[in-house]
Amino acid sequence: MVYTVTLNPALDCYVSPEEFAPGRDLRYSGCRFLPGGKGVNVSLLLRSLGVKTKALGLAGGFTGRELAALLEERGLPTGFVFLEDGLTRVNIKITPPGQPETALNGSGPEIPPEALERLEERLGELEAGDFLVLAGSLPASLPAGTYARLAGAAPPGVEAVIDASGPALLASAAARPFLMKPNREELAEAFGEPASTLEEAAALARKLQGLGARNVAVTLGGEGALLLDEAGGARFRPAVPGTPCSAVGAGDSFVAGFLYGWSLDGGLDQALDWAVSAGAATAFREGVASGEEVRAVYRRAFGRSPTGMECPRGAVLEE
Ligand SMILES: Nc1ncnc2c1ncn2[C@@H]1O[C@H](COP(=O)(O)OP(=O)(O)OP(=O)(O)O)[C@@H](O)[C@H]1O
Ligand SMILES: [Mg+2]
């Protein structure tokens, strides 16, 4: 079972006025609410790939209840700890036809210490062999070591997968996670050193291993990904060729693809093949790809039955 934790999830609200200009009264008809947050994205794609998964995290108020309801409607079991005060943030995405998107992203509620303790209790109920994915930005009130603390709350034998940035990236390595997945920019920023070449990125990934991370995948956007494993091996996969559309969520898809590939028992090579396929499938469309789209990209890149590539517009995980 793969549990994901999203500490600062969102309800994304998409509105499409005819045009958008600041300082004006604008009208729109209809708005679409979609679940948002990195751990949530990982769980949605895993579920679509047929992997047993549950979305955990912190949620609050009517927006938090709506987020959980949207996930449950999509067949994803949830186990959010509900805050007594505060609302799950609403991120407003203004998408006028033919114009670039404007996003108003909320910062999220204040997190009281008791909420984190309740989440730790839930993580204590996981079982050896489970995976625990900790992904996305930390709420502003929580310290950099929060992911390491949460990973430590799970019983021995639970494998942590951490996608964090900034000081939290470096602090999380102490939990000896099975996998850490920074992108190139996050890695460079966290260490204050360049990661422009593959050699530089690999050197920083090794530094992250020096801090405790076991396997480190550095995603390189349209260039592919690098994986340094705990046995000292290094692998590079170029990106799957295709027409990019929107890479938002490609990193979350990479994590889901990696865990799916790993679950097939083909080792790190197969995990990496599925990871870059999932990242690409999401980069080639708007929103996070479905399991079916990921499989089509995998078959085209690594299997025998080729399929055409296109860039469909559509909601997250419509199946
Ligand atoms: N344009 C692209 N073409 C093909 N594959 C891509 C493209 N962009 C991303 N990918 C795939 O997706 C993976 C993850 O992408 P990226 O490095 O952009 O993650 P990220 O920056 O963490 O994204 P996010 O945090 O927004 O989810 C890459 O390693 C690559 O395999
Ligand atoms: Mg990312």
Side-chain angles (χ1 to χ4, degrees):
M1 179 90 156
V2 180
Y3 293 86
T4 61
V5 166
T6 313
L7 295 179
N8 199 9
L11 197 54
D12 290 340
C13 169
Y14 287 83
V15 294
S16 299
E18 278 307 307
E19 49 175 343
F20 177 67
R24 298 249 320 271
D25 282 352
L26 304 165
R27 293 191 166 277
Y28 65 88
S29 61
C31 59
R32 217 155 46 106
F33 287 99
L34 293 174
K38 289 191 175 290
V40 157
N41 282 342
V42 172
S43 264
L44 283 169
L45 180 49
L46 283 171
R47 195 202 67 80
S48 184
L49 283 163
V51 177
K52 276 185 87 178
T53 180
K54 186 168 185 173
L56 309 178
L58 303 175
F62 74 99
T63 50
R65 286 194 294 279
E66 181 59 19
L67 168 69
L70 285 177
L71 296 175
E72 299 272 351
E73 262 170 36
R74 287 168 154 76
L76 174 62
T78 62
F80 288 100
V81 167
F82 272 82
L83 307 170
E84 285 181 14
D85 266 325
L87 292 178
T88 288
R89 63 197 168 130
V90 176
N91 291 337
I92 299 164
K93 315 282 186 185
I94 305 166
T95 58
Q99 279 183 49
E101 176 178 301
T102 302
L104 289 165
N105 295 331
S107 55
E110 185 82 10
I111 309 301
E114 309 80 68
L116 218 56
E117 284 159 19
R118 280 169 59 206
L119 184 57
E120 278 183 295
E121 277 165 29
R122 264 177 216 197
L123 298 179
E125 291 161 14
L126 271 50
E127 289 171 8
D130 287 338
F131 282 86
L132 173 61
V133 178
L134 300 153
S137 59
L138 294 179
S141 56
L142 296 181
T146 300
Y147 279 159
R149 174 181 158 187
L150 292 176
V158 173
E159 303 281 19
V161 174
I162 302 183
D163 180 356
S165 58
L169 170 58
L170 301 187
S172 299
R176 297 202 53 71
F178 167 71
L179 180 72
M180 295 194 76
K181 193 227 79 66
N183 66 26
R184 187 205 287 269
E185 294 74 27
E186 289 161 347
L187 198 57
E189 195 229 297
F191 283 106
E193 289 177 40
S196 313
T197 64
L198 283 184
E199 289 71 23
E200 285 170 344
L204 293 187
R206 275 196 200 96
K207 270 185 142 176
L208 200 56
Q209 289 181 309
L211 296 177
R214 285 161 50 204
N215 300 294
V216 177
V218 186
T219 58
L220 310 163
E223 284 175 54
L226 197 59
L227 177 69
L228 296 207
D229 69 42
E230 56 188 323
R235 295 166 175 79
F236 170 73
R237 287 287 183 287
V240 178
T243 311
C245 177
S246 157
V248 175
D252 311 334
S253 305
F254 181 98
V255 170
F258 192 97
L259 289 174
Y260 175 73
W262 182 252
S263 75
L264 302 176
D265 277 339
L268 290 170
D269 282 303
Q270 200 174 18
L272 192 54
D273 290 348
W274 279 97
V276 295
S277 300
T282 286
F284 296 159
R285 52 128 51 224
E286 243 179 38
V288 175
S290 68
E292 210 170 294
E293 288 167 329
V294 172
R295 286 198 172 87
V297 172
Y298 177 86
R299 281 196 298 273
R300 186 171 69 97
F302 302 104
R304 269 165 299 145
S305 46
T307 52
M309 232 354 99
E310 52 185 345
C311 181
R313 295 172 71 88
V316 176
L317 287 180
E318 272 172 2
E319 285 171 277

